[in-house]
Structure formats: structure tokens, C-alpha cells
Amino acid sequence: MDAYDVIAVGSGHNALVATALLAKAGNRVLVLERNDKPGGFLRTEEVTLPGFKHDLYATRHPLFLRSTAYNELEADLRARGLEYLNTDLPTGVLLPDGSSGILSRDLEASAAEFDRLSPGDGQALTDLMAGFGTYANKIFPLFSLDLASSQAQMLIRELMTSGKGGFAPFAAEFMQTARDVLNERFRSPIVKAMIAPWLAHAGHTLDSANSGFSVSLFLATFIAAGMPLPHGGSDVLIKALVQLVTDHGGTIQCDAPVDRILVERGRAVGVRMKDGDTYTVGRAVIASVNADQLYLKLLADADVPRALTEQAKRYRYGLGCVQIQLALSEPPHWPDNRLQHVGRPHLLRSMEDCALAITEAMNGQLPSEPAMSVDVPTQLDPSRAPHGGAIMCVQVLQLPCCPTADAAGEIAVGNETWTEDLKNRFADRIVKLLGRYLPNVPGAILGRHIISPQDLARYNPNSGPGDPYAGSLELAQNFLFRPLPSQPSHQTCVPNIFLVGAGTWPGAGVNGSSGYIVAQQLLTSAV
């Protein structure tokens, strides 16, 4: 039986951020990972052909680049091989008729582009960013704070209340839908189509309460951070974090699934593995899992308050996604040359069609023509493909995890399972749609690899039935309601057990923030 100061269950990047900070401070840490490699949804593999290095899940890290975690660890991570490549054009859009638009990190350049698309939209963008800027000094610090802390509560009160017994203007803006914001602010259908699909990256629909807030948040983040990716692949971040942990005496074990967290006298004292081995812990257990897994599985033998177990049973998962990794003999030929320098453009018909596709998915149908997120990392990092070749990731978000029908009536769905046949037939649809926008791509495909919601679920239990964001991010399960209404924080009902990951504040995306928050709590308290 081995003893450690801190044990992490799971090795997603948030768990590694936390253990790196704690190991640097002298704690003896152990990270236990059920899969064959650490990193969760940061994984780079040659899954199509030799020499083509694909990011199987997450690719771009704008949130991490602007995080307090990166600010604190940057020198350590750079010394261990992490180098970010970036672009001045974070996102853009291409419509089937060849019309297009781009967003620049230069606000004046973006305003000029928006005015080109519709006179007056440039000023609307400037006004939107200026309005958000008046709140930014209170909003961005929250991403590095536990929302249940007194400091966070003070910032939230200042944002939401007027001090005169009523609510501040921000409170109403915070609750707006994205459709309302886009229709009220902008006239260009191209501008709306550029911004609308990003809502899916936050687990929202255009008509979700609070989705309008994400419009400003995304635009502000892209302008500030661009669309960076690690040179060599997304998992270079993981490799650097792993080395940082081990350089400070930490231990990381893979193929090591945890069965239970052991609790005695109201405190975690260790973990028991699936094979029966146990490890003891002195200070804390950091669990990179969702609340349902924690309270219904890992703490199944502990005395957990009924309110928490009941809420854990009702923990909801959102829609799924499909990723198609393509090995190409040549880069895509963009009709607008500027798009070859854009970090992550979308291909779609319109904002309204984007909303329709999500509605189809919410009704259990495979969308007939969904928005497509396109990433071509070799535009910035040609080392990830053989000379002259390219890699492309086509991502379709907001898909049913258990499809019951096809909105186009062309694909026999079967028994609500993403079989290999269903994956390939849906991928065929997406590649055909891709050819409308980028005619050279279908003929340039040398190999493809498809990841379905079922594949996500199999690889990472935090996905539930295939949700890449580890649980619905609708307002009722976000912010102070995440992970659970009775536990609006990272500290659980067991004082020395903490949760990190996308199932906790501040949610999904490569941000490192929950790991940073938990590390700070442990470094500044006597837990």
C-alpha cells in the first residue's frame, strides 16, 4: 500500500494542471488513468496514414492561452517543449455560393470587414465589444475562481445588481438568446452565419437562455487570443504537463482504472483500483470525473447526502458530435484566399439553417445539412503531414447520441446506435457537402477516420452517451448550478475530495481553469 499527498483520478489536462502546481509546491502526487495514455480529450495519433498526425478530439487552445493557469505555468511548459502557433484570423465562414467573411484579431480590421458585408455592422461589432469591455474586468477573473467563494460572489453581485434594489443592465444581457443578439446587432446574413455555429461549441442552441452572452464572450476571446494550436499536435500540452509532474517527483500510471474512493470518518483516505490494489492519500483526492460518476460510483460506499445522490441521478448530458479526420494529398482550395489563413472557419448555408439542423438533432434526427467546423492544422504546422499533404478535421456538433431517424430520409438509422455502417454513411454525407464548398477536397482524400458519439462514450466516461462537453451546458446546469445545485463548487461533500474537468466550472474547452482553481484551494488551505 503506497501513500501519497494527493491522488488524481483521471489525467485530463485539468487534473494535470492541478497536480503539476501541487508537485511544484512539494506534494507527492499520483495520477491514475484508465486509458493507455494520459490526456483525456487531448490526443494526437496517426489514425489515417503514416505521417499524418491528427488531433483526435480537441485541437485549438484559445481559452488556455488566456488562462491564469497558462500564465503561471508558461515558462515551465515552454521549457518542456510546448510552443503555440497562432493566426491573426481566428475564424471565418464560407457559404455555398462562395460568399465569405472573416474575423481578425484587429478589431478595426474586423469592423471594416463587417462593414464590407453590411454597412453599419462594423459599428455594431465595435459597440458590442465596447459594451462587453465595461464588464470584462469582473467577468474574466471569475474563470479562475470557485463561484462559491466569497470573492466570486462579490463579483457576481456587482455584475447582477444595481445597488438600488434592482438588477443591473448586465443581468438582462446575460439572459438574452444568441438569436436576439445577432438579429438586433447585425444585418449581414454572412456575419450572422459566421458567429452562429460557435454557439454549438458552448453546448448552446441559438435560442438557449444565456446563449447571447456567449456571442460576446467568444468574440472577445478570439480577438484577444486568436486560435492557437501546439506545434506538433494538441497532445504536446499533455506531454509537457506530464514531464512537469514527473520532474517534480510525481507518478503517472496508465491502464489504471479506479473503482472506489475510500472514505473513513468523513475524509478520503485512499483509492481502490479495479484489480483490488489500494493507494493511501494524506491530503486530497482530485477526481477528473462528472458528479454522477463521483457520487453514484466512486463514492457508492460512502455516506453521501441524499440530495446529492438524487441530483447526481438527474445529471443531464447534451447532444453529441462526429469528427471526421481526413488525410489529404493537397490542401483545400479556398475560394477566398484569406480563409487558408483562418484558424477555424465554418461552412454552412445560414444562421437559420444552423438552428434548423440543431432542432433536427434535438428531435433525434441526423441533420440533413448541418454546419461544419473545419480545421486544417497543417496551414500553420506543415510538420504534421508529409510534404505537399495536409490534414483536415471536419467536426459536426449537436448531433443525437442515439439517433432515431434521418431528417433527409436517406440513411437507415437502425437501432439508435452509431454502428460502423451508420458512421460511414453519415461521413459520406458530410464529405459530399464538403465538396460543395471545397470541390478539390473529396478527390484529395487519402484516408479518413471517423469518431462518433458512441466512440466518445467508449473512450471517455465523462462523455456519458457521447457528449463532448461532459454534461449539458444549458443554464439549469451551468455556472452556480455546475456540477450540481447542492454543490456549486469543486469541493465535494467529503472535505478533501475535489472535482475538476469539463463537468465543473468553468466548463468545457481546453482552459485548465478548474485544475488551477483546485490547486489554489489546496495550496492556500489546510484541507
Short mmCIF file of all heavy atoms in Angstrom, two decimals, residues 263-300:
data_model
loop_
_atom_site.label_atom_id
_atom_site.label_comp_id
_atom_site.label_asym_id
_atom_site.label_seq_id
_atom_site.Cartn_x
_atom_site.Cartn_y
_atom_site.Cartn_z
N VAL A 263 -13.34 6.22 1.97
CA VAL A 263 -13.65 7.29 2.92
C VAL A 263 -13.78 6.70 4.31
O VAL A 263 -14.48 5.70 4.52
CB VAL A 263 -14.96 8.01 2.53
CG1 VAL A 263 -15.32 9.08 3.56
CG2 VAL A 263 -14.83 8.64 1.15
N GLU A 264 -13.10 7.31 5.27
CA GLU A 264 -13.21 6.91 6.68
C GLU A 264 -13.35 8.16 7.53
O GLU A 264 -12.63 9.15 7.31
CB GLU A 264 -11.96 6.13 7.13
CG GLU A 264 -11.80 4.78 6.43
CD GLU A 264 -10.55 4.04 6.89
OE1 GLU A 264 -9.87 4.57 7.81
OE2 GLU A 264 -10.25 2.97 6.33
N ARG A 265 -14.29 8.12 8.47
CA ARG A 265 -14.55 9.26 9.36
C ARG A 265 -14.74 10.57 8.59
O ARG A 265 -14.29 11.64 8.99
CB ARG A 265 -13.42 9.40 10.39
CG ARG A 265 -13.27 8.19 11.30
CD ARG A 265 -12.18 8.43 12.35
NE ARG A 265 -12.02 7.26 13.20
CZ ARG A 265 -11.20 6.24 12.91
NH1 ARG A 265 -10.46 6.27 11.80
NH2 ARG A 265 -11.10 5.21 13.73
N GLY A 266 -15.42 10.46 7.46
CA GLY A 266 -15.77 11.65 6.71
C GLY A 266 -14.68 12.22 5.84
O GLY A 266 -14.85 13.31 5.27
N ARG A 267 -13.55 11.52 5.66
CA ARG A 267 -12.46 12.02 4.83
C ARG A 267 -11.96 10.91 3.90
O ARG A 267 -11.98 9.73 4.25
CB ARG A 267 -11.28 12.51 5.69
CG ARG A 267 -11.58 13.79 6.44
CD ARG A 267 -10.36 14.26 7.23
NE ARG A 267 -9.22 14.55 6.37
CZ ARG A 267 -9.04 15.71 5.75
NH1 ARG A 267 -9.92 16.68 5.87
NH2 ARG A 267 -7.96 15.91 5.00
N ALA A 268 -11.50 11.32 2.73
CA ALA A 268 -10.89 10.36 1.81
C ALA A 268 -9.54 9.94 2.36
O ALA A 268 -8.71 10.77 2.75
CB ALA A 268 -10.73 10.99 0.44
N VAL A 269 -9.32 8.62 2.39
CA VAL A 269 -8.06 8.09 2.90
C VAL A 269 -7.29 7.32 1.83
O VAL A 269 -6.16 6.87 2.07
CB VAL A 269 -8.30 7.18 4.13
CG1 VAL A 269 -8.88 7.99 5.28
CG2 VAL A 269 -9.21 6.01 3.78
N GLY A 270 -7.92 7.12 0.66
CA GLY A 270 -7.22 6.40 -0.39
C GLY A 270 -8.16 6.04 -1.52
O GLY A 270 -9.31 6.46 -1.57
N VAL A 271 -7.65 5.23 -2.46
CA VAL A 271 -8.45 4.74 -3.57
C VAL A 271 -8.21 3.25 -3.73
O VAL A 271 -7.12 2.73 -3.41
CB VAL A 271 -8.11 5.47 -4.89
CG1 VAL A 271 -8.40 6.95 -4.79
CG2 VAL A 271 -6.67 5.22 -5.32
N ARG A 272 -9.22 2.56 -4.23
CA ARG A 272 -9.10 1.14 -4.54
C ARG A 272 -9.21 0.96 -6.05
O ARG A 272 -10.12 1.50 -6.69
CB ARG A 272 -10.17 0.32 -3.84
CG ARG A 272 -10.00 -1.19 -4.04
CD ARG A 272 -11.00 -1.99 -3.23
NE ARG A 272 -12.35 -1.87 -3.77
CZ ARG A 272 -13.40 -1.50 -3.06
NH1 ARG A 272 -13.26 -1.20 -1.77
NH2 ARG A 272 -14.59 -1.41 -3.61
N MET A 273 -8.30 0.22 -6.61
CA MET A 273 -8.27 0.02 -8.04
C MET A 273 -9.20 -1.13 -8.45
O MET A 273 -9.65 -1.92 -7.61
CB MET A 273 -6.84 -0.28 -8.50
CG MET A 273 -5.80 0.67 -7.96
SD MET A 273 -6.12 2.39 -8.42
CE MET A 273 -5.77 2.30 -10.18
N LYS A 274 -9.47 -1.24 -9.75
CA LYS A 274 -10.30 -2.34 -10.25
C LYS A 274 -9.68 -3.70 -9.93
O LYS A 274 -10.40 -4.68 -9.73
CB LYS A 274 -10.49 -2.20 -11.76
CG LYS A 274 -11.32 -1.02 -12.21
CD LYS A 274 -12.80 -1.23 -11.98
CE LYS A 274 -13.62 -0.11 -12.60
NZ LYS A 274 -15.07 -0.26 -12.35
N ASP A 275 -8.35 -3.77 -9.90
CA ASP A 275 -7.68 -5.04 -9.62
C ASP A 275 -7.54 -5.33 -8.14
O ASP A 275 -6.95 -6.33 -7.74
CB ASP A 275 -6.31 -5.10 -10.30
CG ASP A 275 -5.34 -4.02 -9.79
OD1 ASP A 275 -5.65 -3.35 -8.78
OD2 ASP A 275 -4.27 -3.85 -10.41
N GLY A 276 -8.06 -4.43 -7.29
CA GLY A 276 -8.03 -4.63 -5.85
C GLY A 276 -6.91 -3.93 -5.12
O GLY A 276 -6.94 -3.83 -3.88
N ASP A 277 -5.89 -3.46 -5.83
CA ASP A 277 -4.81 -2.72 -5.18
C ASP A 277 -5.35 -1.42 -4.58
O ASP A 277 -6.35 -0.86 -5.06
CB ASP A 277 -3.71 -2.38 -6.18
CG ASP A 277 -2.88 -3.59 -6.58
OD1 ASP A 277 -3.01 -4.63 -5.91
OD2 ASP A 277 -2.12 -3.50 -7.56
N THR A 278 -4.69 -0.94 -3.55
CA THR A 278 -5.10 0.33 -2.92
C THR A 278 -3.91 1.26 -2.78
O THR A 278 -2.76 0.83 -2.69
CB THR A 278 -5.72 0.10 -1.53
OG1 THR A 278 -4.74 -0.53 -0.68
CG2 THR A 278 -6.96 -0.77 -1.62
N TYR A 279 -4.21 2.57 -2.78
CA TYR A 279 -3.21 3.60 -2.51
C TYR A 279 -3.80 4.52 -1.45
O TYR A 279 -4.97 4.90 -1.53
CB TYR A 279 -2.90 4.41 -3.77
CG TYR A 279 -2.32 3.60 -4.90
CD1 TYR A 279 -3.14 3.11 -5.91
CD2 TYR A 279 -0.96 3.34 -4.98
CE1 TYR A 279 -2.62 2.38 -6.97
CE2 TYR A 279 -0.42 2.60 -6.02
CZ TYR A 279 -1.26 2.13 -7.02
OH TYR A 279 -0.74 1.40 -8.06
N THR A 280 -2.98 4.89 -0.47
CA THR A 280 -3.47 5.78 0.57
C THR A 280 -3.11 7.22 0.23
O THR A 280 -2.12 7.50 -0.46
CB THR A 280 -2.87 5.42 1.95
OG1 THR A 280 -1.44 5.52 1.88
CG2 THR A 280 -3.27 4.02 2.34
N VAL A 281 -3.91 8.14 0.73
CA VAL A 281 -3.70 9.56 0.46
C VAL A 281 -3.77 10.33 1.76
O VAL A 281 -4.57 10.03 2.65
CB VAL A 281 -4.76 10.07 -0.55
CG1 VAL A 281 -6.15 10.11 0.06
CG2 VAL A 281 -4.37 11.43 -1.10
N GLY A 282 -2.90 11.35 1.86
CA GLY A 282 -2.86 12.13 3.09
C GLY A 282 -3.65 13.41 3.02
O GLY A 282 -4.38 13.75 3.95
N ARG A 283 -3.56 14.14 1.87
CA ARG A 283 -4.20 15.45 1.80
C ARG A 283 -5.53 15.42 1.05
O ARG A 283 -6.55 15.84 1.58
CB ARG A 283 -3.25 16.46 1.13
CG ARG A 283 -2.03 16.82 1.94
CD ARG A 283 -1.46 18.14 1.46
NE ARG A 283 -2.38 19.24 1.72
CZ ARG A 283 -2.38 20.39 1.06
NH1 ARG A 283 -1.50 20.59 0.08
NH2 ARG A 283 -3.24 21.34 1.35
N ALA A 284 -5.50 14.98 -0.22
CA ALA A 284 -6.72 15.15 -1.02
C ALA A 284 -6.74 14.20 -2.21
O ALA A 284 -5.70 13.73 -2.69
CB ALA A 284 -6.81 16.60 -1.53
N VAL A 285 -7.96 13.94 -2.67
CA VAL A 285 -8.20 13.25 -3.93
C VAL A 285 -8.81 14.24 -4.89
O VAL A 285 -9.77 14.94 -4.55
CB VAL A 285 -9.15 12.04 -3.75
CG1 VAL A 285 -9.53 11.45 -5.11
CG2 VAL A 285 -8.51 10.97 -2.88
N ILE A 286 -8.24 14.34 -6.08
CA ILE A 286 -8.77 15.18 -7.15
C ILE A 286 -9.36 14.27 -8.20
O ILE A 286 -8.63 13.48 -8.82
CB ILE A 286 -7.66 16.07 -7.76
CG1 ILE A 286 -7.09 17.01 -6.70
CG2 ILE A 286 -8.21 16.86 -8.95
CD1 ILE A 286 -5.88 17.80 -7.18
N ALA A 287 -10.67 14.35 -8.40
CA ALA A 287 -11.35 13.44 -9.32
C ALA A 287 -11.72 14.18 -10.60
O ALA A 287 -12.51 15.12 -10.57
CB ALA A 287 -12.60 12.85 -8.67
N SER A 288 -11.13 13.76 -11.71
CA SER A 288 -11.46 14.35 -13.01
C SER A 288 -12.62 13.57 -13.62
O SER A 288 -12.47 12.90 -14.65
CB SER A 288 -10.23 14.33 -13.92
OG SER A 288 -10.50 14.98 -15.13
N VAL A 289 -13.76 13.64 -12.95
CA VAL A 289 -14.95 12.92 -13.38
C VAL A 289 -16.16 13.84 -13.21
O VAL A 289 -16.07 14.89 -12.59
CB VAL A 289 -15.17 11.62 -12.55
CG1 VAL A 289 -13.97 10.69 -12.67
CG2 VAL A 289 -15.46 11.94 -11.08
N ASN A 290 -17.28 13.41 -13.75
CA ASN A 290 -18.52 14.16 -13.56
C ASN A 290 -19.16 13.82 -12.23
O ASN A 290 -18.85 12.79 -11.61
CB ASN A 290 -19.49 13.87 -14.70
CG ASN A 290 -18.96 14.32 -16.04
OD1 ASN A 290 -18.06 15.15 -16.12
ND2 ASN A 290 -19.50 13.75 -17.11
N ALA A 291 -20.11 14.65 -11.81
CA ALA A 291 -20.73 14.47 -10.50
C ALA A 291 -21.49 13.14 -10.39
O ALA A 291 -21.51 12.52 -9.33
CB ALA A 291 -21.67 15.63 -10.21
N ASP A 292 -22.10 12.69 -11.50
CA ASP A 292 -22.81 11.42 -11.42
C ASP A 292 -21.86 10.26 -11.19
O ASP A 292 -22.13 9.36 -10.39
CB ASP A 292 -23.67 11.19 -12.68
CG ASP A 292 -22.88 11.27 -13.98
OD1 ASP A 292 -21.73 11.76 -13.97
OD2 ASP A 292 -23.43 10.86 -15.01
N GLN A 293 -20.70 10.29 -11.85
CA GLN A 293 -19.72 9.22 -11.63
C GLN A 293 -19.16 9.26 -10.21
O GLN A 293 -18.92 8.21 -9.59
CB GLN A 293 -18.57 9.36 -12.62
CG GLN A 293 -18.98 9.19 -14.08
CD GLN A 293 -17.82 9.53 -14.99
OE1 GLN A 293 -16.75 8.97 -14.86
NE2 GLN A 293 -18.04 10.46 -15.90
N LEU A 294 -18.94 10.47 -9.69
CA LEU A 294 -18.38 10.58 -8.35
C LEU A 294 -19.34 10.01 -7.31
O LEU A 294 -18.97 9.13 -6.53
CB LEU A 294 -18.07 12.03 -8.02
CG LEU A 294 -17.55 12.24 -6.59
CD1 LEU A 294 -16.14 11.71 -6.45
CD2 LEU A 294 -17.62 13.70 -6.19
N TYR A 295 -20.58 10.53 -7.29
CA TYR A 295 -21.47 10.19 -6.20
C TYR A 295 -22.16 8.83 -6.37
O TYR A 295 -22.50 8.18 -5.37
CB TYR A 295 -22.52 11.30 -6.04
CG TYR A 295 -21.93 12.57 -5.49
CD1 TYR A 295 -21.93 13.75 -6.22
CD2 TYR A 295 -21.33 12.59 -4.23
CE1 TYR A 295 -21.37 14.91 -5.72
CE2 TYR A 295 -20.76 13.74 -3.73
CZ TYR A 295 -20.78 14.89 -4.47
OH TYR A 295 -20.21 16.04 -3.95
N LEU A 296 -22.33 8.38 -7.59
CA LEU A 296 -23.04 7.12 -7.81
C LEU A 296 -22.10 5.93 -7.98
O LEU A 296 -22.54 4.78 -7.86
CB LEU A 296 -23.95 7.23 -9.04
CG LEU A 296 -24.96 8.38 -9.01
CD1 LEU A 296 -25.80 8.38 -10.29
CD2 LEU A 296 -25.85 8.30 -7.78
N LYS A 297 -20.81 6.19 -8.24
CA LYS A 297 -19.86 5.09 -8.45
C LYS A 297 -18.67 5.17 -7.50
O LYS A 297 -18.51 4.33 -6.62
CB LYS A 297 -19.39 5.10 -9.91
CG LYS A 297 -20.50 4.79 -10.90
CD LYS A 297 -20.00 4.83 -12.34
CE LYS A 297 -21.13 4.56 -13.33
NZ LYS A 297 -20.68 4.63 -14.74
N LEU A 298 -17.84 6.19 -7.66
CA LEU A 298 -16.62 6.25 -6.86
C LEU A 298 -16.91 6.38 -5.37
O LEU A 298 -16.13 5.90 -4.54
CB LEU A 298 -15.75 7.42 -7.33
CG LEU A 298 -15.16 7.30 -8.74
CD1 LEU A 298 -14.37 8.55 -9.10
CD2 LEU A 298 -14.27 6.06 -8.85
N LEU A 299 -18.02 7.02 -5.01
CA LEU A 299 -18.39 7.17 -3.59
C LEU A 299 -19.62 6.34 -3.24
O LEU A 299 -20.35 6.64 -2.30
CB LEU A 299 -18.66 8.65 -3.26
CG LEU A 299 -17.44 9.56 -3.25
CD1 LEU A 299 -17.85 11.00 -2.96
CD2 LEU A 299 -16.41 9.09 -2.22
N ALA A 300 -19.83 5.26 -3.99
CA ALA A 300 -21.01 4.42 -3.76
C ALA A 300 -21.01 3.81 -2.36
O ALA A 300 -22.08 3.49 -1.82
CB ALA A 300 -21.07 3.31 -4.81
#
